[in-house]
Amino acid sequence: MSVLAYTESDKGNFKKSAFEAVSYAYEVAQQLGETVTAVAINASDASQLGTYGAAKVLHVSDDKLSSFNANAYATAIAAAATSENAKTIIVSSSADSKYLSGILAAKLNAGYVPNVVAAPESTSPFKVKRTAFSNKGFAHTEITADTKIVGVSNNAFGIVENATTAEVSDFAPSLTDGDFGTNSLEVDKVVGKATIADADVVVSAGRGLKGPENWGMIEELADILGAATACSKPVSDLGWRPHGEHVGQTGKPVASNLYIAIGISGAIQHLAGVSASKTKVVINNDPEAPFFKAADYGVVGDAFEVVPKLIEKLKEFKAQNA
Amino acid sequence: MKILVCISNVPDTTSKINFTDGDTKFDTNGVQFVINPNDEFGLTRAMWFKEKQGASVHVATVGGAQTEPTIRKALAIGADEAIRINAEPTDGFFVARQLAEVVKNGGYDLVIAGRESIDYNGGMVPGILATLLDMNFVNTCIGLEVDGSNATAIREIDGGKETIGTTLPLVIGGQKGLVEESDLRIPNMRGIMMARKKALNVIDPIDAPSMTTDSSFEKPEAKGPVKLVDAANIDELVSLLHNEAKVI
Ligand SMILES: Cc1cc2nc3c(=O)[nH]c(=O)nc-3n(C[C@H](O)[C@H](O)[C@H](O)COP(=O)(O)OP(=O)(O)OC[C@H]3O[C@@H](n4cnc5c(N)ncnc54)[C@H](O)[C@@H]3O)c2cc1C
Ligand SMILES: Nc1ncnc2c1ncn2[C@@H]1O[C@H](COP(=O)(O)O)[C@@H](O)[C@H]1O
């Protein structure tokens, strides 16, 4: 038997989450005394997955799957699970993986747990730790079903090298018209920029910035750090920034290594969505802002003075460490 | 068009989260329950379909009698009828099985659920429901138009959005963006009065297993105090981020 890892790619290149899923699968496989089989769809170099512990890769190359389709992808992964007799399936926590996991759970009659932050606490019973209550708590969740799907949180388990040689074989699941009830008509996506989901660093700003015209320095700061930009809810409600940048309990979750919050008060709903970030820096002119209580580093000061200075110092730092 | 909006009953977003019974249960003491925010956006969109396209809108929840104020609120906002499946929502699979039964028997064309419940954050009900019913499914849905049996949905993706063409019957996992924040409905007096006369049908659950159980909970560790850096000394911040936090 094997542990199956679904590995996401974009235009043929594996995402970081793919390596994380395989690393996690390897740890689970060690605990279970099994090996890791990865399933990859239209990847340009599937053998790469060996680096993280995949002994085998089922590679699906199919033009019909060139753009993501949750139902068809779930059908392919379910077929791979069946063919490998895999009872444990590891997926990431990206928007796409969360989309397909419910479908996959129903197809395989499996128990699915998303937002898992650590290796299983035990495999019999199969128990994992995950975030719940929008990061205000953790649950220790037991998957009682025979087939188990674990959604690993971004940046939680990390990427671990377990060099193996992956045996890559072609895999052709049978897909029918019924798998394509939804059609991608248009994708509107920023290219060449880090996204909130993938970025190691997220630079986020709130109503303290006064207006959309002041975001130039936020983007510049993000550029220097290779960071994604984000914002608080009122900022997107006011139309200063696109909805997709809204982070928090009712927006996107953030689990980056570094989260820089500028002119954001730190309301409970905001904190809930960003507290999984490892290091938090807060820049706010009000020393009483609640965000300071949740921060690792803080600067009490006017964003319009502090941010340009930070940009300048980071440029110097980069020049020295280049 | 017949629409079913699935409503989960969750602690208000400002709630302090505590656990009880040896950390095995969520402590509901002093907690205010509300319509899950993701479902509130969906319900408001359903009202739009009702007003502009003559849709009928029912709401359903899987929960005990304590959830009734929340479904009454959905009726006050304008839903025509409510269904409560009288069972504890033990996990997403169980809930989806209950809702699937309601959808099958009620002949709904469109099922609007939320991307996730903000309490247990399972995020699985809509996908399982759609698959059990063999209906099309769009998750993290931030826009929806229906024209006859064709639907165009916009889905939020990492770093942008995607437009999807599909057909009814359809399940969506909705979220903020489905309608503007400023368009969210708050029940008014007339709505509250009318809601009293609307049907709230309580039905028995079907037999269905759960696939997961939360055996215990814990709260995150308390954070150490913040290290303050003087605004005149941003060099120090850069150095801390590099040498201490090792994030740049
Ligand atoms: C159901 C519900 C769900 C919600 N979900 C979310 C969510 O998911 N995400 C979210 O973010 N919010 C959410 N909110 C809103 C939340 O309660 C807060 O209102 C919001 O986070 C505040 O945004 P803000 O910090 O940008 O603005 P404010 O609270 O107005 O704070 C602005 C901050 O900027 C500081 N400031 C002002 N001028 C300067 C300056 N020159 N330099 C530096 N600092 C300055 C101020 O001191 C203040 O702390 C939700 C609310 C509800 C009711
Ligand atoms: N107990 C419930 N009753 C009715 N609908 C629910 C229930 N739980 C979840 N849902 C629906 O499923 C969505 C996703 O919830 P979840 O899978 O629990 O995160 C919610 O936004 C609701 O629309």
Side-chain angles (χ1 to χ4, degrees):
Chain A
M1 282 215 284
S2 57
V3 175
L4 191 75
Y6 165 56
T7 56
E8 299 183 297
S9 55
D10 186 26
K11 301 208 171 56
N13 302 316
F14 286 116
K15 295 194 191 169
K16 207 173 77 180
S17 66
F19 303 141
E20 232 172 324
V22 176
S23 305
Y24 189 94
Y26 186 80
E27 168 66 29
V28 178
Q30 294 289 100
Q31 290 192 21
L32 291 168
E34 299 180 4
T35 57
V36 177
T37 299
V39 51
I41 298 174
N42 295 332
S44 44
D45 179 12
S47 67
Q48 257 179 300
L49 298 172
T51 314
Y52 311 97
K56 188 169 164 189
V57 182
L58 297 181
H59 186 246
V60 182
S61 47
D62 190 332
D63 281 345
K64 289 203 297 289
L65 300 178
S66 61
S67 67
F68 177 78
N69 181 301
N71 201 29
Y73 274 45
T75 299
I77 300 166
T82 308
S83 115
E84 286 293 296
N85 192 20
K87 296 290 179 207
T88 315
I89 299 158
I90 314 299
V91 298
S92 85
S93 285
S94 68
D96 286 355
S97 282
K98 282 189 172 168
Y99 185 4
L100 67 76
S101 293
I103 304 173
L104 187 61
K107 284 185 195 288
L108 295 172
N109 208 25
Y112 163 52
V113 180
N115 308 319
V116 171
V117 295
E121 289 160 8
S122 68
T123 51
S124 176
F126 196 96
K127 207 189 233 185
V128 286
K129 180 176 175 180
R130 68 178 177 103
T131 59
F133 296 95
S134 308
N135 290 314
K136 293 182 205 168
F138 292 102
H140 299 272
T141 305
E142 204 181 300
I143 309 183
T144 45
D146 226 21
T147 304
K148 301 160 177 75
I149 306 173
V150 177
V152 189
S153 276
N154 286 352
N155 274 330
F157 183 78
I159 296 174
V160 185
E161 294 200 5
N162 310 291
T164 350
T165 312
E167 169 212 325
V168 180
S169 54
D170 288 331
F171 182 68
S174 76
L175 298 168
T176 63
D177 285 351
D179 289 310
F180 294 89
T182 57
N183 283 300
S184 180
L185 303 176
E186 193 190 333
V187 173
D188 177 5
K189 192 167 140 182
V190 219
V191 283
K193 244 191 92 182
T195 67
I196 293 169
D198 287 343
D200 287 330
V201 183
V202 173
V203 175
S204 187
R207 203 146 55 179
L209 251 70
K210 315 280 190 274
E213 66 280 5
N214 295 325
W215 248 262
M217 63 179 188
I218 301 300
E219 291 189 334
E220 190 179 355
L221 179 59
D223 263 357
I224 296 173
L225 292 164
T229 49
C231 68
S232 66
K233 178 166 178 283
V235 163
S236 69
D237 290 340
L238 289 162
W240 295 359
R241 299 295 290 175
H243 279 300
E245 281 200 2
H246 157 208
V247 296
Q249 187 167 17
T250 53
K252 285 210 171 80
V254 180
S256 55
N257 282 328
L258 173 60
Y259 182 71
I260 305 183
I262 302 161
I264 299 177
S265 57
I268 190 165
Q269 300 96 345
H270 186 86
L271 295 180
V274 305
S275 63
S277 292
K278 298 219 169 76
T279 300
K280 291 180 275 296
V281 175
V282 169
I283 300 171
N284 195 304
N285 62 2
D286 175 8
E288 302 296 321
F291 216 143
F292 284 117
K293 291 207 180 68
D296 299 283
Y297 303 103
V299 182
V300 179
D302 183 352
F304 297 99
E305 286 164 25
V306 175
V307 174
K309 242 188 275 173
L310 180 58
I311 291 173
E312 182 194 314
K313 297 296 175 194
L314 282 169
K315 278 186 182 156
E316 285 171 19
F317 168 81
K318 279 203 125 175
Q320 283 161 18
N321 291 270
Chain B
M1 177 164 57
K2 267 190 95 175
I3 303 176
L4 184 72
V5 183
C6 305
I7 304 267
S8 72
N9 177 55
V10 301
D12 169 58
T13 55
T14 57
S15 305
K16 295 258 183 310
I17 302 298
N18 290 302
F19 303 107
T20 172
D21 289 20
D23 283 338
T24 57
K25 284 202 178 65
F26 171 58
D27 184 358
T28 56
N29 219 328
V31 171
Q32 176 85 28
F33 280 82
V34 296
I35 299 176
N36 184 35
N38 291 315
D39 304 341
E40 211 178 342
F41 288 101
L43 179 61
T44 304
R45 189 63 191 159
M47 288 301 111
W48 187 92
F49 286 122
K50 175 177 154 135
E51 285 152 19
K52 306 278 184 213
Q53 301 187 353
S56 70
V57 177
H58 295 178
V59 293
T61 197
V62 179
Q66 78 280 4
T67 64
E68 290 199 0
T70 300
I71 16 182
R72 284 276 174 217
K73 187 175 167 199
L75 290 172
I77 286 172
D80 302 310
E81 261 182 48
I83 301 152
R84 179 169 70 81
I85 300 102
N86 188 24
E88 274 314 303
T90 46
D91 87 330
F93 220 107
F94 175 84
V95 169
R97 287 282 299 274
Q98 305 305 328
L99 293 170
E101 204 60 20
V102 170
V103 175
K104 238 185 302 179
N105 297 334
Y108 296 95
D109 310 290
L110 174 64
V111 179
I112 300 180
R115 153 190 98 179
E116 66 172 11
S117 302
I118 61 160
D119 51 358
Y120 294 90
N121 310 111
M124 53 179 138
V125 168
I128 296 176
L129 181 59
T131 309
L132 291 174
L133 292 164
D134 203 14
M135 285 165 80
N136 291 321
F137 172 46
V138 177
N139 205 14
T140 54
C141 187
I142 53 170
L144 179 66
E145 303 284 346
V146 175
D147 179 9
S149 66
N150 291 316
T152 309
I154 302 174
R155 165 173 93 98
E156 189 165 279
I157 55 175
D158 293 339
K161 52 192 179 186
E162 178 183 26
T163 308
I164 290 177
T166 186
T167 51
L168 301 183
L170 171 70
V171 178
I172 66 158
Q175 63 177 51
K176 188 189 119 174
L178 208 44
V179 296
E180 286 301 325
E181 179 81 19
S182 50
D183 292 336
L184 282 179
R185 306 275 172 106
I186 303 161
N188 56 24
M189 212 48 208
R190 186 165 165 269
I192 295 167
M193 299 302 289
M194 281 172 64
R196 295 205 183 133
K197 298 198 200 88
K198 291 178 181 169
L200 196 168
N201 306 307
V202 179
I203 61 175
D204 286 329
I206 58 161
D207 239 355
S210 289
M211 304 290 189
T212 61
T213 55
D214 293 323
S215 32
S216 63
F217 299 95
E218 67 181 87
K219 295 221 276 184
E221 271 173 47
K223 188 112 201 135
V226 58
K227 258 194 200 171
L228 288 179
V229 174
D230 198 282
N233 198 3
I234 296 299
D235 270 333
E236 190 191 338
L237 178 62
V238 174
S239 136
L240 285 168
L241 293 178
H242 181 60
N243 298 314
E244 190 176 87
K246 298 190 170 32
V247 287
I248 60 169

